[in-house]
Amino acid sequence: MRQLPFLALLQWILFAVIAFATAMVGLYPAFNFDVRGYGPLRLQVYWVHLAIGLLLLVTVIRLIEDGTYLRHFMTTARTALRGSGLLWLLLALWTFASIFWAYTSTGDAVYATVLMSLELVSAFVIAVAIARGGMPWLGAVFLFAALPHALLGIVQGFTGAPVGLYAIGERYFNPENPFGFGPQSFRPYGLSFHPNILAGHMGMTLLIGMVTAYSARNNRRLLIPVAVGLFVVFVALLMTLSRVALVITMAVFAPMTLYAFRPRGRALIAVGGVVVLGIISVIVVGFTTPLIQDLYDRFYMMLGDPQASLARIMEGVPNTLAVWQLNPVAGVGGYNLQPTMVDTQPLDRNNLFLPAHNIYLIVLAELGVVGMMLYTAGLLVPLRNLFSSDRTLVLTAAAVLGFALLILFDFYYWWPPAMRPTMYWLLGMVWGLRAREVVAQMVPEPVAEEEPENAPVVAT
């Protein structure tokens, strides 16, 4: 068995590619298979899943060649499966089983199974990297990979128009009123196709970034770039005008900050720094764009007319529940929600086959009560770590809580599939942190020294 450092380096490069590509939902997929003739309802292979496939290939080679890595992988996998990992494995198997009762398209169910399996195995690979001492570096990789998206969004917001990076996935929208909500400022969307998608990614990046900041608290050379990155991401989140993402992210991020740096004196510095940076952000952005007025108008609209806000939240819920009723226990099959809508519901001005802005309901429709229970339990079990004595693990569990709340109000972490690896990244962090003490105590496997050629034979 040999230890091959270049394979480890290649894994880390692919981690960075995955973290960047997971938010490139505006870039057309690497391959399209229009197997059903519905145009947008094609089987799409996204760039992030190609990167995950390469990561798994490199990992298999490393498992074969590196005995120590193999032992660490098996130990981490066992730790994960004793927790929520088993639930996610069962969900993948249930998705595979849905091929046999898929209401509209077995091809879509196969597609859902393949993507979920790739993402689940990638979570185990991320967990091994964490268990082998990968924090805070793996969190920093996710944060720094999000910075190009954040910077592009900030430029879009200040210029009030697309930048022109259409070759790498930036979409063109009319600067006059691209998303129909009538704000004065241009809502940035980065390399996605809606500001709410960029906002969700920035929100999750802030939460993962706080875990990273705490892990790097004794490493100033890393902590300072992480703090700057958090500031940039916060500005980008602010400029999206996404109310739900802002409220949920800040509701989780603020307690995380207080918890991460208590009760030391640096708590005042950390909290004060976040407050000061927030004030600076609001002042700078507020004086250079109509953003503050837009934020006020949008929140006033939400609070002043709760019925209209509730109506927007409920958009797509009747369509989704109607599909769920076709097979309440087992669902209509993985990624069969929209194809089933097309086949069973009339197309008119009030029905554009829009699914619920709630991933729990989407999973309920596609995988039934069984699948929804597995999915929900898979997110609830990691929350037990909120009561752990390991602060890094507590903060990571808090980030999972933020994710679980965010998906109550939108579906972009389920469809398009490019966004979902973020969830498995978080799960991998939890599993790796739980396994790192066990892995750290493992005795490294001795590396056998190779005898030189033509070595003399010594009689014994």
Side-chain angles (χ1 to χ4, degrees):
M1 294 287 185
R2 296 174 296 169
Q3 296 186 12
L4 303 175
F6 75 91
L7 289 178
L9 176 60
L10 190 53
Q11 280 184 319
W12 281 87
I13 292 173
L14 289 169
F15 287 148
V17 173
I18 291 168
F20 178 79
T22 191
M24 292 178 64
V25 294
L27 183 64
Y28 289 105
F31 301 103
N32 285 309
F33 304 96
D34 192 358
V35 296
R36 305 193 66 251
Y38 288 134
L41 299 175
R42 295 172 291 200
L43 304 185
Q44 301 171 329
V45 179
Y46 287 84
W47 294 101
V48 65
H49 291 103
L50 290 181
I52 290 175
L54 288 175
L55 174 65
L56 301 189
L57 177 61
V58 173
T59 300
V60 168
I61 297 173
R62 192 175 180 191
L63 288 171
I64 294 171
E65 296 292 338
D66 189 338
T68 301
Y69 183 79
L70 174 62
R71 293 167 62 224
H72 291 171
F73 187 96
M74 297 304 295
T75 299
T76 304
R78 283 194 295 269
T79 302
L81 291 173
R82 284 196 293 266
S84 62
L86 179 61
L87 295 168
W88 292 104
L89 177 60
L90 291 174
L91 181 64
L93 293 173
W94 183 253
T95 305
F96 170 74
S98 73
I99 294 171
F100 300 102
W101 61 76
Y103 191 88
T104 304
S105 170
T106 56
D108 288 329
V110 172
Y111 173 59
T113 302
V114 171
L115 294 191
M116 189 176 293
S117 301
L118 284 173
E119 293 158 359
L120 178 58
V121 179
S122 73
F124 287 118
V125 179
I126 289 168
V128 177
I130 296 289
R132 290 166 61 93
M135 281 299 288
W137 301 105
L138 201 66
V141 164
F142 193 92
L143 172 63
F144 296 149
L147 289 182
H149 299 282
L151 291 170
L152 175 60
I154 291 171
V155 173
Q156 289 172 340
F158 277 112
T159 60
V163 175
L165 300 178
Y166 307 123
I168 60 171
E170 186 183 17
R171 299 287 181 91
Y172 176 79
F173 292 101
N174 183 356
E176 295 299 324
N177 188 17
F179 302 102
F181 297 117
Q184 301 177 57
S185 53
F186 185 83
R187 297 181 66 197
Y189 49 90
L191 294 179
S192 69
F193 47 79
H194 197 282
N196 290 347
I197 297 178
L198 177 64
H201 187 62
M202 294 297 100
M204 292 312 306
T205 302
L206 272 180
L207 301 186
I208 293 176
M210 177 49 63
V211 180
T212 306
Y214 177 75
S215 300
R217 63 193 181 280
N218 296 321
N219 185 346
R220 289 189 177 182
R221 287 183 296 180
L222 180 60
L223 183 58
I224 293 174
V226 166
V228 173
L230 289 173
F231 170 66
V232 173
V233 169
F234 173 73
V235 173
L237 172 62
L238 191 67
M239 297 185 74
T240 62
L241 297 173
S242 179
R243 294 165 293 189
V244 169
L246 274 166
V247 170
I248 291 177
T249 301
M250 290 299 104
V252 178
F253 182 80
M256 285 177 69
T257 304
L258 291 170
Y259 176 83
F261 296 99
R262 72 173 179 91
R264 305 174 182 138
R266 70 179 66 171
L268 295 176
I269 300 175
V271 176
V274 171
V275 172
V276 170
L277 287 177
I279 293 173
I280 292 174
S281 302
V282 171
I283 292 174
V284 172
V285 178
F287 274 103
T288 53
T289 72
L291 176 72
I292 304 304
Q293 183 62 45
D294 285 338
L295 275 173
Y296 173 80
D297 291 343
R298 284 176 63 77
F299 277 100
Y300 180 81
M301 179 178 65
M302 180 176 69
L303 299 175
D305 191 358
Q307 291 184 344
S309 300
L310 181 62
R312 294 195 66 86
I313 293 173
M314 294 296 292
E315 260 184 343
V317 171
N319 293 349
T320 303
L321 292 179
V323 170
W324 169 62
Q325 291 171 359
L326 296 173
N327 191 345
V329 175
V332 295
Y335 283 161
N336 265 249
L337 174 57
Q338 284 188 296
T340 303
M341 285 182 181
V342 171
D343 284 356
T344 62
Q345 299 178 7
L347 175 62
D348 56 47
R349 183 174 298 178
N350 298 318
N351 182 7
L352 299 176
F353 308 129
L354 182 70
H357 282 59
N358 182 311
I359 290 181
Y360 301 102
L361 292 181
I362 293 176
V363 175
L364 178 67
E366 292 187 348
L367 301 175
V369 173
V370 174
M372 196 270 287
M373 290 177 64
L374 289 171
Y375 183 87
T376 305
L379 291 175
L380 289 177
V381 169
L383 299 187
R384 296 181 305 177
N385 297 297
L386 289 170
F387 306 99
S388 171
S389 58
D390 183 341
R391 285 193 177 184
T392 307
L393 190 53
V394 171
L395 292 170
T396 307
V400 174
L401 174 61
F403 177 87
L405 294 174
L406 189 63
I407 62 176
L408 281 167
F409 301 98
D410 225 318
F411 55 73
Y412 45 75
Y413 276 114
W414 187 262
W415 189 270
M419 294 284 287
R420 197 169 57 188
T422 298
M423 178 188 73
Y424 285 96
W425 189 293
L426 267 176
L427 293 172
M429 288 175 62
V430 173
W431 300 338
L433 289 170
R434 288 185 61 86
R436 64 179 178 177
E437 288 187 11
V438 179
V439 169
Q441 294 172 2
M442 294 176 68
V443 178
E445 184 178 77
V447 180
E449 296 183 2
E450 296 183 3
E451 292 188 1
E453 294 184 9
N454 304 320
V457 178
V458 180
T460 56

